Amino acid sequence: MLKVEIDNGSGFCFGVTTAIQKAEEELAKGNTLYCLGDIVHNGMECDRLRQMGLVTINHEEMQKLHDVKVLLRAHGEPPATYELARRNNIEIIDATCPVVLQLQKRIKKQYLNPLTDNPSSLTAQIVIFGKNGHAEVLGLVGQTEGKAIVIEQFEDVKQLDFSRDIYLYSQTTKSLDEFHRIIEYIQQHISPEATFKSFDTICRSVANRMPNISSFATKHDLILFVCGRKSSNGKVLFNECLRVNPNTHLIEGPEEIDSAWLQDIETVGICGATSTPKWLMEQCRDALQQM
């Protein structure tokens, strides 16, 4: 008899849960609601909300809208989006994650107050450890009028100017270990005349999932990691599962389960990203049990 376990720690994080609740509440009123970008990096959840009436738009399409309601997802938006809404009389339903919102405020304050620490801060580098083009990172860079430097991986840190001040932040869903490697490298190379400050802005509800999901993945013969392939957080967690359990497969839904994976398997663990709904993991469990 095949044993299947769903990881209790997987599923939507607080920010995504709140955004979806806000969308459902508005749609329940029968109102037209637009969402700027996919509300979550999971195609099946987006389809569910689309069937309820949620209309997903991009920034170009938003420019043509007037007198409507637009939901901003958990990733957050740059100041330019709020200015566009004001000009076009668009009512914003702001579902920006509180952790992301706090990070935006910190970066904006640093950018607008360059003399806080010393005069050399006028030429300071505001550095964000994150994925170029990611919605959250675009919102963070927007707080600096596009002047922040984005580094995607450890190797990119070597391109910084270590003779100038550096203020380092991180996208909320990045790897804590890699962030600490970057901090150590900067500390070793920064000029004695320059200031370096780092701000650990990684969301703990996401960071803590790494050791938890790692432990979960070791308990089973087979791991099915359920996740949309666009999810940045999902890629990190999937790779961690794969590292501790090579018999790990990334799937977007039950239809991708290959029965050949179940040969000589006694236990299956199902887990996912912060963008993976519980109902989708349950569908995968049900599909396995039918097999």
Side-chain angles (χ1 to χ4, degrees), residues 79 103-113 143:
L103 174 54
Q104 287 184 348
K105 289 177 180 176
R106 290 175 74 171
I107 290 176
K108 185 172 185 177
K109 184 178 179 182
Q110 181 66 57
Y111 177 70
L112 293 178
N113 297 281
Q143 309 304 316

Side-chain angles (χ1 to χ4, degrees), residues 43-268:
M44 296 179 79
E45 179 66 4
C46 288
D47 286 343
R48 183 184 74 86
L49 290 167
R50 191 177 300 118
Q51 289 168 14
M52 291 178 65
L54 186 66
V55 181
T56 302
I57 57 170
N58 58 33
H59 288 83
E60 188 177 336
E61 290 167 330
M62 183 175 170
Q63 291 177 11
K64 301 172 185 175
L65 295 176
H66 295 78
D67 311 311
V68 295
K69 291 184 178 182
V70 173
L71 182 137
L72 303 185
R73 55 195 177 164
H75 300 90
E77 282 291 322
T81 299
Y82 293 88
E83 176 57 27
L84 170 63
R86 189 192 63 77
R87 289 199 310 269
N88 289 10
N89 195 36
I90 292 171
E91 181 182 337
I92 291 292
I93 297 175
D94 201 337
T96 302
C97 170
V99 178
V100 175
L101 195 60
Q102 187 62 28
L103 174 54
Q104 287 184 348
K105 289 177 180 176
R106 290 175 74 171
I107 290 176
K108 185 172 185 177
K109 184 178 179 182
Q110 181 66 57
Y111 177 70
L112 293 178
N113 297 281
L115 295 176
T116 301
D117 296 294
N118 58 60
S120 68
S121 294
L122 284 168
T123 58
Q125 301 161 95
I126 294 179
V127 181
I128 298 167
F129 172 43
K131 182 181 178 183
N132 260 309
H134 187 280
E136 180 188 326
V137 174
L138 292 174
L140 300 177
V141 173
Q143 309 304 316
T144 68
E145 299 176 307
K147 293 184 172 66
I149 300 166
V150 178
I151 57 174
E152 292 201 0
Q153 54 196 356
F154 174 74
E155 290 301 314
D156 296 341
V157 74
K158 299 172 183 177
Q159 300 168 11
L160 299 177
D161 183 348
F162 296 103
S163 67
R164 294 164 54 202
D165 293 356
I166 297 174
Y167 295 89
L168 176 67
Y169 300 85
S170 175
Q171 179 182 337
T172 59
T173 54
K174 293 297 282 183
S175 162
L176 200 53
D177 290 342
E178 195 167 9
F179 185 60
H180 287 151
R181 280 186 71 203
I182 290 169
I183 291 171
E184 288 174 13
Y185 187 90
I186 296 174
Q187 287 172 334
Q188 292 165 4
H189 292 81
I190 192 81
S191 165
E193 284 76 40
T195 298
F196 169 53
K197 289 190 176 182
S198 63
F199 305 91
D200 183 350
T201 52
I202 293 173
C203 176
R204 285 304 182 269
S205 73
V206 174
N208 290 341
R209 291 195 181 190
M210 188 74 84
N212 293 341
I213 212 165
S214 178
S215 174
F216 178 81
T218 62
K219 296 176 182 176
H220 298 281
D221 302 326
L222 168 69
I223 292 294
L224 297 182
F225 190 88
V226 188
C227 174
R229 290 184 170 86
K230 289 182 184 178
S231 171
S232 175
N233 159 256
K235 288 174 186 173
V236 173
L237 292 173
F238 167 70
N239 286 330
E240 179 61 15
C241 286
L242 194 61
R243 184 184 71 80
V244 300
N245 187 338
N247 198 17
T248 295
H249 298 273
L250 190 150
I251 60 172
E252 291 202 336
E255 68 284 350
E256 293 185 17
I257 299 173
D258 187 339
S259 58
W261 298 340
L262 304 178
Q263 296 288 333
D264 302 318
I265 293 298
E266 293 183 2
T267 66
V268 179

